[in-house]
Amino acid sequence: MSFTMHLRPRISIRRARLSDVPQLIEVEHASWEAACDPEDMFTTEQFEAHIRNVGDYFFVAEERQTGRLVGYVSALRVDIPVSEVEERVTTWYALTGDGEYTGHQPNGQCLFGGSLGVIPESQRSGIGDRLIEREFREIVRHGMTFGALGGRLPGMAAYLAEHPESNPEHYFQLTREDGKPYDPELRFYADDFEVRKLLPEYFKDRESCNNGVLLVWRNPFLGSKLLKPLIAAQVFKAICAYYRARART
């Protein structure tokens, strides 16, 4: 468990509400307009549909004192066995129905991350960790096998511009002297996810040269004879709280 970044206690994580949609649009644009095409950013209608249809897996990060939203995460369930995930996860568009989340299967064994957004001034503060952790709790609580998403590689475009002899696969494999991934966002994910493979043409993302990386998180409580899913979710919550408390000391 690596959820150890500092997070000020004024932030709370809760399920999204329809009344949040105007602020969600603001968070979406602040988070994504520098990297992706405007046509791929969620609209008011899409956010409303997501909250109605997959609201159990849609969370926001809210400033407690002001009610201001600074981040969100949304996901949908798909029925993909973990043994087939590398074959069946191809593009964000295919898995999310072009962002409509029409492929949501309420009993699917995989929770697929549709989107994560944090406003620039709140990034690197632990909010992304907390949002992902909240989705992990849902995986545990519902007894799903695993979670998956396509992560970004936002350092790729700049690196390839400086190293024209290189290519996306080389950048994906590149590491620092300490052995950790070279790409900053891949480092963010690598401690908690299995890094499976590069996903060419995963999503229109200028900074990632339209590439993604397949990431998998397995439910550590799956098949436990001692802990039923609801209890396991509470145990998982307590473990995460413990690591956050340690990080603040």
Side-chain angles (χ1 to χ4, degrees):
M1 184 64 57
S2 68
F3 296 108
T4 57
M5 297 180 72
H6 291 279
L7 182 68
R8 290 168 289 182
R10 63 186 181 87
I11 298 295
S12 61
I13 307 298
R14 61 166 174 81
R15 281 191 170 86
R17 310 173 186 131
L18 287 173
S19 59
D20 293 326
V21 171
Q23 286 200 73
L24 284 168
I25 291 292
E26 294 178 5
V27 173
E28 177 79 346
H29 282 261
S31 304
W32 286 102
E33 63 186 0
C36 72
D37 288 350
E39 65 182 26
D40 286 330
M41 287 189 283
F42 291 135
T43 64
T44 294
E45 292 74 22
Q46 285 175 313
F47 273 132
E48 290 175 348
H50 296 170
I51 293 169
R52 290 191 181 98
N53 299 330
V54 296
D56 285 347
Y57 311 107
F58 195 145
F59 299 95
V60 297
E62 178 184 53
E63 291 183 348
R64 291 178 180 173
Q65 291 185 340
T66 66
R68 180 192 183 204
L69 299 189
V70 296
Y72 81 90
V73 65
S74 62
L76 65 158
R77 290 180 71 163
V78 292
D79 200 26
I80 297 176
V82 69
S83 61
E84 298 178 12
V85 66
E86 292 193 23
E87 174 187 352
R88 294 178 58 179
V89 175
T90 54
T91 70
W92 180 85
Y93 305 96
L95 267 293
T96 66
D98 290 330
E100 300 294 336
Y101 290 11
T102 51
H104 174 61
Q105 298 169 285
N107 296 314
Q109 58 187 300
C110 169
L111 187 65
F112 183 77
S115 188
L116 170 68
V118 177
I119 62 174
E121 58 263 40
S122 295
Q123 292 174 5
R124 291 176 292 279
S125 66
I127 291 172
D129 281 338
R130 284 285 300 277
L131 289 165
I132 294 172
E133 170 200 312
R134 193 62 184 81
E135 296 286 19
F136 284 178
R137 279 172 53 192
E138 293 305 304
I139 293 171
V140 174
R141 188 167 78 91
H142 292 282
M144 285 179 263
T145 305
F146 70 108
L149 72 146
R152 300 181 65 227
L153 295 161
M156 181 179 287
Y159 181 87
L160 295 184
E162 295 177 1
H163 302 83
E165 76 285 357
S166 189
N167 58 61
E169 183 66 37
H170 174 262
Y171 180 81
F172 167 60
Q173 299 288 347
L174 199 61
T175 59
R176 305 188 307 184
E177 290 184 0
D178 60 5
K180 293 184 178 182
Y182 180 84
D183 186 89
E185 191 147 336
L186 190 53
R187 286 198 302 275
F188 169 77
Y189 288 117
D191 287 336
D192 297 295
F193 288 87
E194 299 172 17
V195 178
R196 291 298 192 94
K197 69 172 185 176
L198 188 69
L199 296 169
E201 300 303 321
Y202 176 74
F203 182 76
K204 296 174 185 175
D205 178 348
R206 290 183 291 274
E207 295 176 336
S208 304
C209 299
N210 298 343
N211 290 276
V213 55
L214 177 58
L215 304 163
V216 169
W217 185 83
R218 297 176 188 254
N219 180 355
F221 298 93
L222 191 67
S224 172
K225 296 182 179 180
L226 298 177
L227 297 175
K228 294 185 180 299
L230 288 175
I231 302 300
Q234 293 302 311
V235 171
F236 181 75
K237 178 181 178 181
I239 292 171
C240 292
Y242 168 76
Y243 276 95
R244 288 197 304 275
R246 283 189 59 184
R248 290 194 291 266
T249 60

